[in-house]
PDB file of all heavy atoms in Angstrom:
ATOM      1  N   LEU P1113     102.285 -17.849 -46.741  1.00 84.00           N
ATOM      2  CA  LEU P1113     103.145 -18.858 -47.313  1.00 84.00           C
ATOM      3  C   LEU P1113     104.562 -18.812 -46.610  1.00 84.00           C
ATOM      4  O   LEU P1113     105.251 -19.825 -46.593  1.00 84.00           O
ATOM      5  CB  LEU P1113     103.398 -18.600 -48.810  1.00 84.00           C
ATOM      6  CG  LEU P1113     102.282 -18.875 -49.732  1.00 84.00           C
ATOM      7  CD1 LEU P1113     102.596 -18.480 -51.116  1.00 84.00           C
ATOM      8  CD2 LEU P1113     101.827 -20.277 -49.713  1.00 84.00           C
ATOM      9  N   HIS P1114     104.909 -17.677 -46.050  1.00 82.00           N
ATOM     10  CA  HIS P1114     106.197 -17.513 -45.415  1.00 82.00           C
ATOM     11  C   HIS P1114     106.124 -17.488 -43.939  1.00 82.00           C
ATOM     12  O   HIS P1114     107.038 -17.135 -43.213  1.00 82.00           O
ATOM     13  CB  HIS P1114     106.790 -16.149 -45.836  1.00 82.00           C
ATOM     14  CG  HIS P1114     106.908 -16.016 -47.366  1.00 82.00           C
ATOM     15  ND1 HIS P1114     105.860 -15.547 -48.067  1.00 82.00           N
ATOM     16  CD2 HIS P1114     107.949 -16.318 -48.223  1.00 82.00           C
ATOM     17  CE1 HIS P1114     106.206 -15.526 -49.360  1.00 82.00           C
ATOM     18  NE2 HIS P1114     107.389 -15.940 -49.433  1.00 82.00           N
ATOM     19  N   ALA P1115     104.936 -18.035 -43.393  1.00 79.00           N
ATOM     20  CA  ALA P1115     104.752 -18.002 -41.882  1.00 79.00           C
ATOM     21  C   ALA P1115     105.187 -19.168 -41.181  1.00 79.00           C
ATOM     22  O   ALA P1115     105.182 -19.273 -39.871  1.00 79.00           O
ATOM     23  CB  ALA P1115     103.267 -17.625 -41.593  1.00 79.00           C
ATOM     24  N   GLY P1116     105.544 -20.278 -41.900  1.00 76.00           N
ATOM     25  CA  GLY P1116     106.060 -21.457 -41.266  1.00 76.00           C
ATOM     26  C   GLY P1116     104.956 -22.119 -40.360  1.00 76.00           C
ATOM     27  O   GLY P1116     103.888 -22.393 -40.867  1.00 76.00           O
ATOM     28  N   ASP P1117     105.346 -22.330 -39.097  1.00 77.00           N
ATOM     29  CA  ASP P1117     104.389 -23.054 -38.205  1.00 77.00           C
ATOM     30  C   ASP P1117     103.196 -22.154 -37.846  1.00 77.00           C
ATOM     31  O   ASP P1117     102.116 -22.669 -37.349  1.00 77.00           O
ATOM     32  CB  ASP P1117     105.160 -23.429 -36.959  1.00 77.00           C
ATOM     33  CG  ASP P1117     106.193 -24.534 -37.182  1.00 77.00           C
ATOM     34  OD1 ASP P1117     106.142 -25.169 -38.243  1.00 77.00           O
ATOM     35  OD2 ASP P1117     107.185 -24.563 -36.400  1.00 77.00           O
ATOM     36  N   MET P1118     103.234 -20.892 -38.122  1.00 79.00           N
ATOM     37  CA  MET P1118     102.172 -19.966 -37.768  1.00 79.00           C
ATOM     38  C   MET P1118     101.224 -19.684 -39.011  1.00 79.00           C
ATOM     39  O   MET P1118     100.335 -18.822 -38.991  1.00 79.00           O
ATOM     40  CB  MET P1118     102.689 -18.621 -37.326  1.00 79.00           C
ATOM     41  CG  MET P1118     103.296 -18.649 -35.909  1.00 79.00           C
ATOM     42  SD  MET P1118     103.865 -17.078 -35.391  1.00 79.00           S
ATOM     43  CE  MET P1118     102.271 -16.242 -35.271  1.00 79.00           C
ATOM     44  N   ALA P1119     101.370 -20.542 -40.039  1.00 81.00           N
ATOM     45  CA  ALA P1119     100.607 -20.297 -41.244  1.00 81.00           C
ATOM     46  C   ALA P1119      99.158 -20.537 -41.002  1.00 81.00           C
ATOM     47  O   ALA P1119      98.337 -19.882 -41.570  1.00 81.00           O
ATOM     48  CB  ALA P1119     101.103 -21.319 -42.389  1.00 81.00           C
ATOM     49  N   ASP P1120      98.875 -21.473 -40.115  1.00 82.00           N
ATOM     50  CA  ASP P1120      97.404 -21.778 -39.831  1.00 82.00           C
ATOM     51  C   ASP P1120      96.749 -20.543 -39.246  1.00 82.00           C
ATOM     52  O   ASP P1120      95.577 -20.230 -39.475  1.00 82.00           O
ATOM     53  CB  ASP P1120      97.202 -22.986 -38.980  1.00 82.00           C
ATOM     54  CG  ASP P1120      98.066 -22.772 -37.639  1.00 82.00           C
ATOM     55  OD1 ASP P1120      98.981 -22.008 -37.580  1.00 82.00           O
ATOM     56  OD2 ASP P1120      97.790 -23.579 -36.669  1.00 82.00           O
ATOM     57  N   ARG P1121      97.495 -19.766 -38.378  1.00 81.00           N
ATOM     58  CA  ARG P1121      96.995 -18.609 -37.771  1.00 81.00           C
ATOM     59  C   ARG P1121      96.683 -17.476 -38.864  1.00 81.00           C
ATOM     60  O   ARG P1121      95.651 -16.817 -38.775  1.00 81.00           O
ATOM     61  CB  ARG P1121      97.904 -18.054 -36.756  1.00 81.00           C
ATOM     62  CG  ARG P1121      98.189 -19.004 -35.570  1.00 81.00           C
ATOM     63  CD  ARG P1121      99.072 -18.408 -34.573  1.00 81.00           C
ATOM     64  NE  ARG P1121      99.418 -19.328 -33.531  1.00 81.00           N
ATOM     65  CZ  ARG P1121     100.287 -19.057 -32.468  1.00 81.00           C
ATOM     66  NH1 ARG P1121     100.773 -17.848 -32.357  1.00 81.00           N
ATOM     67  NH2 ARG P1121     100.594 -20.001 -31.628  1.00 81.00           N
ATOM     68  N   TYR P1122      97.559 -17.400 -39.809  1.00 83.00           N
ATOM     69  CA  TYR P1122      97.422 -16.400 -40.932  1.00 83.00           C
ATOM     70  C   TYR P1122      96.117 -16.724 -41.683  1.00 83.00           C
ATOM     71  O   TYR P1122      95.325 -15.754 -41.935  1.00 83.00           O
ATOM     72  CB  TYR P1122      98.617 -16.346 -41.799  1.00 83.00           C
ATOM     73  CG  TYR P1122      99.705 -15.534 -41.453  1.00 83.00           C
ATOM     74  CD1 TYR P1122     100.570 -15.924 -40.383  1.00 83.00           C
ATOM     75  CD2 TYR P1122      99.939 -14.281 -41.973  1.00 83.00           C
ATOM     76  CE1 TYR P1122     101.615 -15.113 -39.925  1.00 83.00           C
ATOM     77  CE2 TYR P1122     101.040 -13.496 -41.567  1.00 83.00           C
ATOM     78  CZ  TYR P1122     101.838 -13.902 -40.559  1.00 83.00           C
ATOM     79  OH  TYR P1122     102.843 -13.054 -40.209  1.00 83.00           O
ATOM     80  N   TYR P1123      95.974 -17.962 -42.035  1.00 85.00           N
ATOM     81  CA  TYR P1123      94.841 -18.348 -42.902  1.00 85.00           C
ATOM     82  C   TYR P1123      93.535 -18.341 -42.201  1.00 85.00           C
ATOM     83  O   TYR P1123      92.446 -18.062 -42.682  1.00 85.00           O
ATOM     84  CB  TYR P1123      95.120 -19.689 -43.619  1.00 85.00           C
ATOM     85  CG  TYR P1123      96.032 -19.504 -44.774  1.00 85.00           C
ATOM     86  CD1 TYR P1123      97.413 -19.591 -44.579  1.00 85.00           C
ATOM     87  CD2 TYR P1123      95.528 -19.240 -46.013  1.00 85.00           C
ATOM     88  CE1 TYR P1123      98.268 -19.483 -45.660  1.00 85.00           C
ATOM     89  CE2 TYR P1123      96.447 -19.039 -47.123  1.00 85.00           C
ATOM     90  CZ  TYR P1123      97.760 -19.200 -46.925  1.00 85.00           C
ATOM     91  OH  TYR P1123      98.586 -18.976 -47.934  1.00 85.00           O
ATOM     92  N   MET P1124      93.558 -18.711 -40.889  1.00 85.00           N
ATOM     93  CA  MET P1124      92.368 -18.652 -40.053  1.00 85.00           C
ATOM     94  C   MET P1124      91.950 -17.158 -39.918  1.00 85.00           C
ATOM     95  O   MET P1124      90.769 -16.846 -39.937  1.00 85.00           O
ATOM     96  CB  MET P1124      92.516 -19.402 -38.757  1.00 85.00           C
ATOM     97  CG  MET P1124      92.603 -20.899 -38.933  1.00 85.00           C
ATOM     98  SD  MET P1124      92.902 -21.773 -37.377  1.00 85.00           S
ATOM     99  CE  MET P1124      91.329 -21.495 -36.538  1.00 85.00           C
TER     100      MET P1124
END
Side-chain angles (χ1 to χ4, degrees):
L1113 290 177
H1114 306 85
D1117 295 336
M1118 292 182 63
D1120 56 341
R1121 300 182 185 180
Y1122 274 77
Y1123 281 91
M1124 291 178 67

